[in-house]
Amino acid sequence: MASLTKNPNVNKWVEEMVALTKPDKIVWIDGSDEQLDELRKEALSTGEMIELNQEKLPGCLYHRTKVNDVARVEDRTFICSRSEEDAGPTNNWCDPKEMYAKLTPMYDGVMKGRTMYVIPYSMGPIGSPLAKVGVELTDSIYVVLNMDIMTRVGVKAFENLGDTSDDFVRGLHSKADIDPEKRYIVHFPEDNTIWSINSGYGGNVLLGKKCFALRIASFQGKNEGWMAEHMLILGIQKPNGDIKYVTAAFPSACGKTNLAMLIPPESYTKKGYKVTTVGDDIAWLKQGEDGRLYAINPENGFFGVAPGTNVKSNFNALESTKKNTIFTNVAINNDDMTVWWEGLDKNPPENATEWKGAKVNGKEYTAEGNKLAHPNSRFTAPAINCPCISPEFNNPKGVPISAIVFGGRRAKTAPLVYQSFDWQHGTFVGSIMASETTAAAAGAVGVVRRDPMAMLPFCGYHMGDYWAHWLEMGKKLGDKAPLIFNVNWFRTDDEGHFIWPGFGDNMRVLEWIIDRCEGKADAVETAIGYEPKPEDINIEGLESDGITLDVIKGLLDVDKALWKTEAVGIREFYGKFGAKLPKEMTEELDKLEARLG
Ligand code: OXD
Ligand code: MN
């Protein structure tokens, strides 16, 4: 099939990759419904995809990955910058020459007997000055169909690139044999190149997402003066119609999708408050002509974790999955070919197929402590399905950001919310983000895992340089910079129960944040930052959850002894970054310790 572009840089590279991987056939993805329908039919005929109930779930398909291939593989993910220093202590590094030499024989002839799909895609709205183009070569129809949901796929992406530009990210993916021992997810930031082999799991193979939009893009952002962040973007519409935009970074599995699609408590919706979603995972941020920081969501869909998603926890996400969605590794209800996962409702289907493919009685199976859906099972849903998608979702200029929110999962240390003193201190606050491990994951419980800006697995270069870039951005933005906050929804009581109700009630905290941005709310200065006066957190209607003014006081409490221990942990963590740790960060740590006394 003939190329869809005149761009010689694209064509030369595709030719080289064809010569290497030797596919039987090459199909350029133009993005048309006809072509995608053909591919759906083909994937159904081979069993790669399974058709779900087309009346109840129109356009929805099901896919099961290999049992050994269900999540991102950080130990097999590499940043191959020319110099090891540039990858930094938080990334796996290998010399690019050595890595190309190791992987080239693995790709040699890997697509014999297979079709290579050439997927041109845009990260960001077509025509946006913040958008960037990628081309992914893959031997998986599952990847094509997912990329079509997650990005803007087809000839229009090439129109955005133009006929001469070399500024596109070259992604090469092959399922190969899905051999976990030969699985590699490799980034060559200086070559704008990503090579992924022996996986079929989304986070490893939808190369527009973590690989491009975070790892490669963070490096591009540093060089070009913008930022690629692991952040949701939401709009808070106030009763007067004014909308304020907020981005927020949390480590994986801390509820970013839920916060992005939050439904405010009734007392707020009655007054006219509304939350709209621009993005649930990634934000690209750049200074606009007016000097403010603008954000786009480079993605076009949601690759969300299914378990735990239900009408109460995230009505909008659930609604988003009702049509044209791909489900991966959830359970199937064989009675009506619909889907089920833990936390959807209390009725596991009796006639079920669990995620690995065995037919089971779901009630008995789950009663024995087994999971019907894999804990990291996913839905890939088009953003336009989301009932609360922002009208600005496709705005090529992006949305102006008023506040940046960091957060983690801390049982005692971090208060419900605090504001940084300024941008430099806010950068420090982001850099000390951490979560405590829960019983849900293997290993010890309560261990603090540092995840600066939620970028630990996603920063494509040295984290010390990354913080320096944050400080640099703050200088450029000056007094137009967003205010920086930290939240913690996960404080627990002595029995280990969460105190704060979370979900929609997080609106109450967002309200204080917005009020601070507008200069309408007071704050109390503490050793760690500005906190709300307890009475400034609206708790109307929360009595039945046991939330009183005293409980809020407790949630805002800063335990100095805990923070002193925390400071010791931060200093030890900072020690890893050597000479590249900006002096401003140590300065902030010193100041924190001095304030703690
Ligand atoms: C994700 C992640 O899949 O952060 O979004 O792991
Ligand atoms: Mn994520």
Side-chain angles (χ1 to χ4, degrees):
M1 185 176 163
S3 167
L4 289 178
T5 175
K6 290 201 203 81
N7 188 308
N9 305 307
V10 174
N11 289 327
K12 179 165 169 281
W13 168 71
V14 173
E15 275 161 31
E16 283 165 15
M17 295 304 109
V18 166
L20 173 62
T21 58
K22 307 180 179 60
D24 281 13
K25 213 172 116 188
I26 303 159
V27 172
W28 289 70
I29 301 300
D30 58 20
S32 68
D33 290 340
E34 297 74 35
Q35 190 189 40
L36 290 160
D37 269 341
E38 279 306 309
L39 290 174
R40 278 182 204 110
K41 281 197 198 112
E42 190 181 330
L44 290 174
S45 75
T46 61
E48 185 176 354
M49 307 294 282
I50 295 171
E51 186 160 82
L52 294 166
N53 185 323
Q54 293 301 296
E55 262 159 45
K56 293 187 178 167
L57 297 168
C60 291
L61 300 175
Y62 179 89
H63 175 80
R64 187 174 287 132
T65 65
K66 282 253 171 88
V67 175
N68 72 34
D69 189 29
V70 292
R72 288 185 288 101
V73 281
E74 287 172 21
D75 57 328
R76 310 201 66 96
T77 299
F78 287 80
I79 300 294
C80 297
S81 43
R82 276 171 219 139
S83 131
E84 180 169 8
E85 256 265 88
D86 290 339
T90 57
N91 286 309
N92 300 315
W93 176 85
C94 175
D95 181 85
K97 279 202 201 86
E98 212 176 289
M99 189 55 101
Y100 281 126
K102 179 173 182 161
L103 296 186
T104 299
M106 288 169 60
Y107 281 103
D108 189 2
V110 76
M111 294 193 193
K112 271 187 197 156
R114 300 184 186 184
T115 300
M116 173 192 276
Y117 301 96
V118 183
I119 316 170
Y121 63 95
S122 169
M123 296 312 287
I126 300 285
S128 166
L130 282 86
K132 279 190 177 279
V133 172
V135 181
E136 176 164 355
L137 312 178
T138 178
D139 51 11
S140 157
I141 297 182
Y142 173 76
V143 168
V144 177
L145 298 179
N146 273 273
M147 285 295 283
D148 174 55
I149 298 173
M150 293 306 296
T151 73
R152 283 117 172 139
V153 154
V155 263
K156 56 192 184 223
F158 278 144
E159 282 159 20
N160 237 29
L161 179 67
D163 284 347
T164 54
S165 172
D166 198 25
D167 184 13
F168 66 98
V169 170
R170 296 142 164 83
L172 175 63
H173 166 249
S174 174
K175 292 180 286 189
D177 308 314
I178 317 273
D179 179 349
E181 302 299 322
K182 296 189 189 143
R183 186 167 296 153
Y184 285 93
I185 318 299
V186 179
H187 309 70
F188 303 95
E190 287 117 342
D191 300 344
N192 260 354
T193 293
I194 304 159
W195 281 14
S196 161
I197 193 161
N198 276 304
S199 174
Y201 168 74
N204 299 327
V205 301
L206 306 179
L207 300 185
K209 194 176 178 63
K210 303 298 187 184
C211 298
F212 177 175
L214 288 175
R215 297 195 191 97
I216 296 284
S218 60
F219 176 74
Q220 294 176 326
K222 179 196 65 152
N223 295 329
E224 297 166 11
W226 53 281
M227 305 161 96
E229 298 295 335
H230 192 198
M231 288 177 176
L232 65 91
I233 312 165
L234 61 79
I236 300 165
Q237 185 169 333
K238 302 202 301 180
N240 67 6
D242 191 22
I243 307 179
K244 288 274 178 293
Y245 294 93
V246 173
T247 63
F250 301 92
S252 303
C254 282
K256 282 217 308 293
T257 305
N258 293 346
L259 185 64
M261 299 180 189
L262 162 159
I263 298 177
E266 213 182 311
S267 57
Y268 282 82
T269 49
K270 272 196 185 137
K271 277 186 234 154
Y273 280 93
K274 204 168 118 185
V275 166
T276 55
T277 309
V278 181
D280 78 325
D281 195 39
I282 300 175
W284 283 1
L285 304 126
K286 194 172 182 178
Q287 190 170 28
E289 277 166 19
D290 61 1
R292 296 185 66 190
L293 189 62
Y294 282 74
I296 61 161
N297 172 9
E299 301 190 282
N300 201 27
F302 309 118
F303 184 63
V305 177
T309 307
N310 59 52
V311 179
K312 263 193 82 183
S313 69
N314 197 335
F315 169 84
N316 289 313
L318 198 60
E319 278 300 298
S320 308
T321 67
K322 295 286 163 70
K323 58 180 185 204
N324 303 328
T325 292
I326 296 172
F327 295 93
T328 305
N329 294 344
V330 301
I332 295 179
N333 180 347
N334 297 312
D335 286 335
D336 63 353
M337 285 310 280
T338 53
V339 286
W340 193 86
W341 49 77
E342 274 66 26
L344 175 65
D345 55 39
K346 296 210 162 70
N347 285 314
E350 276 176 36
N351 183 10
T353 303
E354 50 87 60
W355 72 271
K356 294 189 287 311
K359 290 220 162 41
V360 295
N361 178 321
K363 289 215 175 11
E364 289 169 8
Y365 192 72
T366 50
E368 284 158 13
N370 300 305
K371 298 230 184 293
L372 277 181
H374 187 276
N376 191 36
S377 54
R378 299 278 176 152
F379 54 80
T380 318
I384 44 162
N385 283 1
C386 181
C388 61
I389 195 73
S390 166
E392 303 300 319
F393 177 71
N394 278 313
N395 186 338
K397 278 174 61 182
V399 293
I401 301 303
S402 298
I404 294 175
V405 179
F406 294 120
R409 198 181 267 273
R410 302 303 298 265
K412 303 280 177 221
T413 321
L416 180 62
V417 58
Y418 67 100
Q419 183 194 339
S420 71
F421 294 119
D422 52 33
W423 182 278
Q424 175 173 310
H425 178 232
T427 304
F428 169 77
V429 169
S431 80
I432 65 168
M433 256 174 75
S435 270
E436 279 144 23
T437 48
T438 63
V445 173
V447 175
V448 176
R449 192 168 291 160
R450 302 243 160 243
D451 188 354
M453 280 83 169
M455 284 290 276
L456 188 68
F458 306 121
C459 183
Y461 61 106
H462 196 297
M463 192 66 82
D465 290 335
Y466 168 77
W467 291 327
H469 181 48
W470 263 80
L471 295 169
E472 199 53 42
M473 288 296 297
K475 285 193 196 115
K476 273 205 313 203
L477 292 161
D479 61 2
K480 299 255 171 62
L483 303 185
I484 300 180
F485 298 81
N486 192 87
V487 299
N488 178 25
W489 316 133
F490 301 98
R491 278 238 327 217
T492 53
D493 61 20
D494 292 337
E495 275 97 57
H497 304 121
F498 294 124
I499 302 170
W500 179 247
F503 298 102
D505 288 309
N506 292 335
M507 179 67 207
R508 300 165 188 276
V509 174
L510 290 178
E511 185 185 27
W512 182 75
I513 289 176
I514 292 306
D515 283 349
R516 286 295 290 168
C517 295
E518 295 185 330
K520 286 189 192 149
D522 270 347
V524 187
E525 191 170 333
T526 75
I528 62 169
Y530 298 122
E531 282 201 349
K533 290 183 174 163
E535 60 273 23
D536 283 348
I537 297 292
N538 174 8
I539 54 170
E540 186 196 332
L542 281 185
E543 297 78 11
S544 58
D545 292 278
I547 303 292
T548 61
L549 192 61
D550 272 345
V551 173
I552 297 292
K553 276 186 194 149
L555 284 170
L556 291 171
D557 178 55
V558 177
D559 182 327
K560 286 198 173 168
L562 277 182
W563 273 92
K564 281 182 192 169
T565 314
E566 183 76 2
V568 174
I570 297 166
R571 204 171 287 282
E572 190 188 314
F573 178 64
Y574 273 1
K576 276 197 189 183
F577 299 95
K580 281 195 186 266
L581 180 75
K583 66 168 191 342
E584 290 87 342
M585 308 300 278
T586 339
E587 225 172 84
E588 288 298 332
L589 179 55
D590 293 343
K591 285 200 275 185
L592 170 67
E593 283 191 321
R595 287 192 301 265
L596 289 169

PDB file of all heavy atoms in Angstrom, residues 233-261:
ATOM      1  N   ILE A 233      -6.336  17.324  34.019  1.00  0.00           N
ATOM      2  CA  ILE A 233      -6.713  18.731  33.850  1.00  0.00           C
ATOM      3  C   ILE A 233      -8.227  18.822  34.033  1.00  0.00           C
ATOM      4  O   ILE A 233      -8.973  18.124  33.331  1.00  0.00           O
ATOM      5  CB  ILE A 233      -6.369  19.265  32.440  1.00  0.00           C
ATOM      6  CG1 ILE A 233      -4.937  18.904  32.029  1.00  0.00           C
ATOM      7  CG2 ILE A 233      -6.609  20.777  32.359  1.00  0.00           C
ATOM      8  CD1 ILE A 233      -4.660  19.086  30.524  1.00  0.00           C
ATOM      9  N   LEU A 234      -8.670  19.641  34.956  1.00  0.00           N
ATOM     10  CA  LEU A 234     -10.121  19.804  35.099  1.00  0.00           C
ATOM     11  C   LEU A 234     -10.499  21.269  35.169  1.00  0.00           C
ATOM     12  O   LEU A 234      -9.682  22.131  35.509  1.00  0.00           O
ATOM     13  CB  LEU A 234     -10.659  19.028  36.315  1.00  0.00           C
ATOM     14  CG  LEU A 234     -10.188  19.342  37.724  1.00  0.00           C
ATOM     15  CD1 LEU A 234     -10.866  20.574  38.288  1.00  0.00           C
ATOM     16  CD2 LEU A 234     -10.512  18.155  38.629  1.00  0.00           C
ATOM     17  N   GLY A 235     -11.756  21.539  34.811  1.00  0.00           N
ATOM     18  CA  GLY A 235     -12.295  22.896  34.884  1.00  0.00           C
ATOM     19  C   GLY A 235     -13.353  22.944  35.967  1.00  0.00           C
ATOM     20  O   GLY A 235     -14.188  22.038  36.061  1.00  0.00           O
ATOM     21  N   ILE A 236     -13.305  23.965  36.804  1.00  0.00           N
ATOM     22  CA  ILE A 236     -14.348  24.139  37.813  1.00  0.00           C
ATOM     23  C   ILE A 236     -15.174  25.346  37.417  1.00  0.00           C
ATOM     24  O   ILE A 236     -14.671  26.476  37.397  1.00  0.00           O
ATOM     25  CB  ILE A 236     -13.744  24.379  39.213  1.00  0.00           C
ATOM     26  CG1 ILE A 236     -12.876  23.179  39.596  1.00  0.00           C
ATOM     27  CG2 ILE A 236     -14.854  24.608  40.252  1.00  0.00           C
ATOM     28  CD1 ILE A 236     -11.967  23.449  40.762  1.00  0.00           C
ATOM     29  N   GLN A 237     -16.431  25.058  37.051  1.00  0.00           N
ATOM     30  CA  GLN A 237     -17.306  26.154  36.662  1.00  0.00           C
ATOM     31  C   GLN A 237     -18.067  26.631  37.884  1.00  0.00           C
ATOM     32  O   GLN A 237     -18.677  25.842  38.595  1.00  0.00           O
ATOM     33  CB  GLN A 237     -18.279  25.690  35.577  1.00  0.00           C
ATOM     34  CG  GLN A 237     -19.121  26.831  35.057  1.00  0.00           C
ATOM     35  CD  GLN A 237     -19.895  26.429  33.817  1.00  0.00           C
ATOM     36  OE1 GLN A 237     -19.493  25.549  33.065  1.00  0.00           O
ATOM     37  NE2 GLN A 237     -21.026  27.078  33.602  1.00  0.00           N
ATOM     38  N   LYS A 238     -18.009  27.941  38.112  1.00  0.00           N
ATOM     39  CA  LYS A 238     -18.668  28.498  39.290  1.00  0.00           C
ATOM     40  C   LYS A 238     -20.066  28.988  38.913  1.00  0.00           C
ATOM     41  O   LYS A 238     -20.386  29.132  37.726  1.00  0.00           O
ATOM     42  CB  LYS A 238     -17.804  29.630  39.833  1.00  0.00           C
ATOM     43  CG  LYS A 238     -16.407  29.117  40.167  1.00  0.00           C
ATOM     44  CD  LYS A 238     -15.711  29.963  41.141  1.00  0.00           C
ATOM     45  CE  LYS A 238     -15.591  31.365  40.598  1.00  0.00           C
ATOM     46  NZ  LYS A 238     -14.915  32.247  41.507  1.00  0.00           N
ATOM     47  N   PRO A 239     -20.893  29.252  39.947  1.00  0.00           N
ATOM     48  CA  PRO A 239     -22.266  29.685  39.646  1.00  0.00           C
ATOM     49  C   PRO A 239     -22.320  30.896  38.710  1.00  0.00           C
ATOM     50  O   PRO A 239     -23.236  31.012  37.908  1.00  0.00           O
ATOM     51  CB  PRO A 239     -22.828  30.021  41.026  1.00  0.00           C
ATOM     52  CG  PRO A 239     -22.050  29.161  41.975  1.00  0.00           C
ATOM     53  CD  PRO A 239     -20.675  29.050  41.391  1.00  0.00           C
ATOM     54  N   ASN A 240     -21.325  31.767  38.755  1.00  0.00           N
ATOM     55  CA  ASN A 240     -21.358  32.934  37.856  1.00  0.00           C
ATOM     56  C   ASN A 240     -20.863  32.615  36.442  1.00  0.00           C
ATOM     57  O   ASN A 240     -20.730  33.508  35.612  1.00  0.00           O
ATOM     58  CB  ASN A 240     -20.550  34.094  38.461  1.00  0.00           C
ATOM     59  CG  ASN A 240     -19.055  33.789  38.527  1.00  0.00           C
ATOM     60  OD1 ASN A 240     -18.598  32.756  38.024  1.00  0.00           O
ATOM     61  ND2 ASN A 240     -18.294  34.662  39.159  1.00  0.00           N
ATOM     62  N   GLY A 241     -20.573  31.332  36.179  1.00  0.00           N
ATOM     63  CA  GLY A 241     -20.190  30.922  34.828  1.00  0.00           C
ATOM     64  C   GLY A 241     -18.687  30.939  34.600  1.00  0.00           C
ATOM     65  O   GLY A 241     -18.186  30.363  33.635  1.00  0.00           O
ATOM     66  N   ASP A 242     -17.965  31.593  35.482  1.00  0.00           N
ATOM     67  CA  ASP A 242     -16.510  31.662  35.372  1.00  0.00           C
ATOM     68  C   ASP A 242     -15.908  30.252  35.558  1.00  0.00           C
ATOM     69  O   ASP A 242     -16.341  29.504  36.417  1.00  0.00           O
ATOM     70  CB  ASP A 242     -16.025  32.618  36.479  1.00  0.00           C
ATOM     71  CG  ASP A 242     -14.576  32.980  36.289  1.00  0.00           C
ATOM     72  OD1 ASP A 242     -14.086  32.867  35.143  1.00  0.00           O
ATOM     73  OD2 ASP A 242     -13.923  33.367  37.285  1.00  0.00           O
ATOM     74  N   ILE A 243     -14.912  29.919  34.728  1.00  0.00           N
ATOM     75  CA  ILE A 243     -14.287  28.595  34.865  1.00  0.00           C
ATOM     76  C   ILE A 243     -12.816  28.742  35.234  1.00  0.00           C
ATOM     77  O   ILE A 243     -12.086  29.500  34.598  1.00  0.00           O
ATOM     78  CB  ILE A 243     -14.391  27.769  33.558  1.00  0.00           C
ATOM     79  CG1 ILE A 243     -15.851  27.713  33.089  1.00  0.00           C
ATOM     80  CG2 ILE A 243     -13.853  26.368  33.757  1.00  0.00           C
ATOM     81  CD1 ILE A 243     -16.059  26.943  31.794  1.00  0.00           C
ATOM     82  N   LYS A 244     -12.409  28.014  36.252  1.00  0.00           N
ATOM     83  CA  LYS A 244     -10.996  27.987  36.636  1.00  0.00           C
ATOM     84  C   LYS A 244     -10.445  26.591  36.353  1.00  0.00           C
ATOM     85  O   LYS A 244     -11.092  25.586  36.656  1.00  0.00           O
ATOM     86  CB  LYS A 244     -10.862  28.275  38.135  1.00  0.00           C
ATOM     87  CG  LYS A 244     -11.149  29.718  38.506  1.00  0.00           C
ATOM     88  CD  LYS A 244      -9.901  30.563  38.348  1.00  0.00           C
ATOM     89  CE  LYS A 244     -10.089  32.024  38.638  1.00  0.00           C
ATOM     90  NZ  LYS A 244     -10.955  32.748  37.701  1.00  0.00           N
ATOM     91  N   TYR A 245      -9.249  26.534  35.761  1.00  0.00           N
ATOM     92  CA  TYR A 245      -8.652  25.252  35.404  1.00  0.00           C
ATOM     93  C   TYR A 245      -7.529  24.872  36.359  1.00  0.00           C
ATOM     94  O   TYR A 245      -6.718  25.716  36.755  1.00  0.00           O
ATOM     95  CB  TYR A 245      -8.143  25.283  33.968  1.00  0.00           C
ATOM     96  CG  TYR A 245      -9.288  25.415  32.986  1.00  0.00           C
ATOM     97  CD1 TYR A 245      -9.693  26.665  32.523  1.00  0.00           C
ATOM     98  CD2 TYR A 245      -9.990  24.288  32.569  1.00  0.00           C
ATOM     99  CE1 TYR A 245     -10.766  26.787  31.649  1.00  0.00           C
ATOM    100  CE2 TYR A 245     -11.062  24.406  31.698  1.00  0.00           C
ATOM    101  CZ  TYR A 245     -11.443  25.655  31.245  1.00  0.00           C
ATOM    102  OH  TYR A 245     -12.517  25.765  30.397  1.00  0.00           O
ATOM    103  N   VAL A 246      -7.511  23.591  36.694  1.00  0.00           N
ATOM    104  CA  VAL A 246      -6.554  23.058  37.663  1.00  0.00           C
ATOM    105  C   VAL A 246      -5.910  21.817  37.054  1.00  0.00           C
ATOM    106  O   VAL A 246      -6.596  21.016  36.409  1.00  0.00           O
ATOM    107  CB  VAL A 246      -7.316  22.660  38.957  1.00  0.00           C
ATOM    108  CG1 VAL A 246      -6.405  21.946  39.939  1.00  0.00           C
ATOM    109  CG2 VAL A 246      -7.957  23.876  39.605  1.00  0.00           C
ATOM    110  N   THR A 247      -4.606  21.646  37.245  1.00  0.00           N
ATOM    111  CA  THR A 247      -3.980  20.364  36.910  1.00  0.00           C
ATOM    112  C   THR A 247      -3.587  19.681  38.209  1.00  0.00           C
ATOM    113  O   THR A 247      -3.348  20.353  39.220  1.00  0.00           O
ATOM    114  CB  THR A 247      -2.699  20.516  36.061  1.00  0.00           C
ATOM    115  OG1 THR A 247      -1.726  21.227  36.842  1.00  0.00           O
ATOM    116  CG2 THR A 247      -2.946  21.260  34.764  1.00  0.00           C
ATOM    117  N   ALA A 248      -3.521  18.360  38.193  1.00  0.00           N
ATOM    118  CA  ALA A 248      -3.154  17.645  39.410  1.00  0.00           C
ATOM    119  C   ALA A 248      -2.367  16.392  39.087  1.00  0.00           C
ATOM    120  O   ALA A 248      -2.695  15.657  38.155  1.00  0.00           O
ATOM    121  CB  ALA A 248      -4.405  17.280  40.211  1.00  0.00           C
ATOM    122  N   ALA A 249      -1.300  16.193  39.871  1.00  0.00           N
ATOM    123  CA  ALA A 249      -0.428  15.032  39.685  1.00  0.00           C
ATOM    124  C   ALA A 249      -0.532  14.118  40.898  1.00  0.00           C
ATOM    125  O   ALA A 249      -0.346  14.574  42.030  1.00  0.00           O
ATOM    126  CB  ALA A 249       1.023  15.487  39.515  1.00  0.00           C
ATOM    127  N   PHE A 250      -0.851  12.854  40.665  1.00  0.00           N
ATOM    128  CA  PHE A 250      -0.845  11.829  41.712  1.00  0.00           C
ATOM    129  C   PHE A 250      -0.162  10.603  41.150  1.00  0.00           C
ATOM    130  O   PHE A 250      -0.275  10.330  39.954  1.00  0.00           O
ATOM    131  CB  PHE A 250      -2.269  11.423  42.101  1.00  0.00           C
ATOM    132  CG  PHE A 250      -3.117  12.560  42.614  1.00  0.00           C
ATOM    133  CD1 PHE A 250      -3.909  13.293  41.757  1.00  0.00           C
ATOM    134  CD2 PHE A 250      -3.114  12.882  43.959  1.00  0.00           C
ATOM    135  CE1 PHE A 250      -4.690  14.340  42.221  1.00  0.00           C
ATOM    136  CE2 PHE A 250      -3.889  13.929  44.430  1.00  0.00           C
ATOM    137  CZ  PHE A 250      -4.680  14.663  43.566  1.00  0.00           C
ATOM    138  N   PRO A 251       0.502   9.830  42.011  1.00  0.00           N
ATOM    139  CA  PRO A 251       1.085   8.586  41.518  1.00  0.00           C
ATOM    140  C   PRO A 251       0.007   7.703  40.893  1.00  0.00           C
ATOM    141  O   PRO A 251      -1.186   7.889  41.175  1.00  0.00           O
ATOM    142  CB  PRO A 251       1.638   7.923  42.782  1.00  0.00           C
ATOM    143  CG  PRO A 251       1.824   9.038  43.758  1.00  0.00           C
ATOM    144  CD  PRO A 251       0.766  10.052  43.442  1.00  0.00           C
ATOM    145  N   SER A 252       0.405   6.731  40.059  1.00  0.00           N
ATOM    146  CA  SER A 252      -0.546   5.816  39.437  1.00  0.00           C
ATOM    147  C   SER A 252      -1.427   5.196  40.527  1.00  0.00           C
ATOM    148  O   SER A 252      -0.961   4.921  41.632  1.00  0.00           O
ATOM    149  CB  SER A 252       0.207   4.700  38.710  1.00  0.00           C
ATOM    150  OG  SER A 252       1.084   5.258  37.765  1.00  0.00           O
ATOM    151  N   ALA A 253      -2.706   5.005  40.185  1.00  0.00           N
ATOM    152  CA  ALA A 253      -3.663   4.340  41.091  1.00  0.00           C
ATOM    153  C   ALA A 253      -3.958   5.123  42.370  1.00  0.00           C
ATOM    154  O   ALA A 253      -4.183   4.550  43.419  1.00  0.00           O
ATOM    155  CB  ALA A 253      -3.187   2.919  41.426  1.00  0.00           C
ATOM    156  N   CYS A 254      -3.929   6.448  42.281  1.00  0.00           N
ATOM    157  CA  CYS A 254      -4.342   7.281  43.419  1.00  0.00           C
ATOM    158  C   CYS A 254      -5.603   8.081  43.082  1.00  0.00           C
ATOM    159  O   CYS A 254      -5.934   9.040  43.768  1.00  0.00           O
ATOM    160  CB  CYS A 254      -3.232   8.227  43.850  1.00  0.00           C
ATOM    161  SG  CYS A 254      -1.949   7.448  44.829  1.00  0.00           S
ATOM    162  N   GLY A 255      -6.302   7.709  42.000  1.00  0.00           N
ATOM    163  CA  GLY A 255      -7.595   8.330  41.733  1.00  0.00           C
ATOM    164  C   GLY A 255      -7.566   9.556  40.836  1.00  0.00           C
ATOM    165  O   GLY A 255      -8.424  10.422  40.962  1.00  0.00           O
ATOM    166  N   LYS A 256      -6.620   9.641  39.896  1.00  0.00           N
ATOM    167  CA  LYS A 256      -6.590  10.802  38.983  1.00  0.00           C
ATOM    168  C   LYS A 256      -7.852  10.854  38.125  1.00  0.00           C
ATOM    169  O   LYS A 256      -8.454  11.913  37.967  1.00  0.00           O
ATOM    170  CB  LYS A 256      -5.364  10.750  38.060  1.00  0.00           C
ATOM    171  CG  LYS A 256      -4.097  11.172  38.746  1.00  0.00           C
ATOM    172  CD  LYS A 256      -3.142  11.971  37.857  1.00  0.00           C
ATOM    173  CE  LYS A 256      -2.807  11.323  36.535  1.00  0.00           C
ATOM    174  NZ  LYS A 256      -2.022  10.086  36.733  1.00  0.00           N
ATOM    175  N   THR A 257      -8.237   9.677  37.565  1.00  0.00           N
ATOM    176  CA  THR A 257      -9.419   9.667  36.698  1.00  0.00           C
ATOM    177  C   THR A 257     -10.662  10.070  37.500  1.00  0.00           C
ATOM    178  O   THR A 257     -11.510  10.816  37.012  1.00  0.00           O
ATOM    179  CB  THR A 257      -9.590   8.279  36.047  1.00  0.00           C
ATOM    180  OG1 THR A 257      -8.364   7.952  35.374  1.00  0.00           O
ATOM    181  CG2 THR A 257     -10.717   8.269  35.030  1.00  0.00           C
ATOM    182  N   ASN A 258     -10.749   9.612  38.749  1.00  0.00           N
ATOM    183  CA  ASN A 258     -11.909   9.976  39.582  1.00  0.00           C
ATOM    184  C   ASN A 258     -11.950  11.479  39.852  1.00  0.00           C
ATOM    185  O   ASN A 258     -13.006  12.107  39.765  1.00  0.00           O
ATOM    186  CB  ASN A 258     -11.881   9.227  40.913  1.00  0.00           C
ATOM    187  CG  ASN A 258     -12.093   7.728  40.727  1.00  0.00           C
ATOM    188  OD1 ASN A 258     -12.518   7.291  39.661  1.00  0.00           O
ATOM    189  ND2 ASN A 258     -11.792   6.953  41.746  1.00  0.00           N
ATOM    190  N   LEU A 259     -10.818  12.068  40.181  1.00  0.00           N
ATOM    191  CA  LEU A 259     -10.817  13.513  40.464  1.00  0.00           C
ATOM    192  C   LEU A 259     -11.124  14.308  39.192  1.00  0.00           C
ATOM    193  O   LEU A 259     -11.871  15.290  39.222  1.00  0.00           O
ATOM    194  CB  LEU A 259      -9.464  13.943  41.051  1.00  0.00           C
ATOM    195  CG  LEU A 259      -9.396  15.412  41.493  1.00  0.00           C
ATOM    196  CD1 LEU A 259     -10.360  15.683  42.646  1.00  0.00           C
ATOM    197  CD2 LEU A 259      -7.977  15.813  41.908  1.00  0.00           C
ATOM    198  N   ALA A 260     -10.578  13.824  38.064  1.00  0.00           N
ATOM    199  CA  ALA A 260     -10.775  14.545  36.803  1.00  0.00           C
ATOM    200  C   ALA A 260     -12.253  14.613  36.419  1.00  0.00           C
ATOM    201  O   ALA A 260     -12.670  15.543  35.731  1.00  0.00           O
ATOM    202  CB  ALA A 260      -9.981  13.861  35.683  1.00  0.00           C
ATOM    203  N   MET A 261     -13.032  13.615  36.852  1.00  0.00           N
ATOM    204  CA  MET A 261     -14.443  13.519  36.423  1.00  0.00           C
ATOM    205  C   MET A 261     -15.395  13.702  37.597  1.00  0.00           C
ATOM    206  O   MET A 261     -16.539  13.242  37.566  1.00  0.00           O
ATOM    207  CB  MET A 261     -14.679  12.160  35.763  1.00  0.00           C
ATOM    208  CG  MET A 261     -13.830  11.965  34.534  1.00  0.00           C
ATOM    209  SD  MET A 261     -14.119  10.358  33.788  1.00  0.00           S
ATOM    210  CE  MET A 261     -12.807  10.345  32.575  1.00  0.00           C
TER     211      MET A 261
END
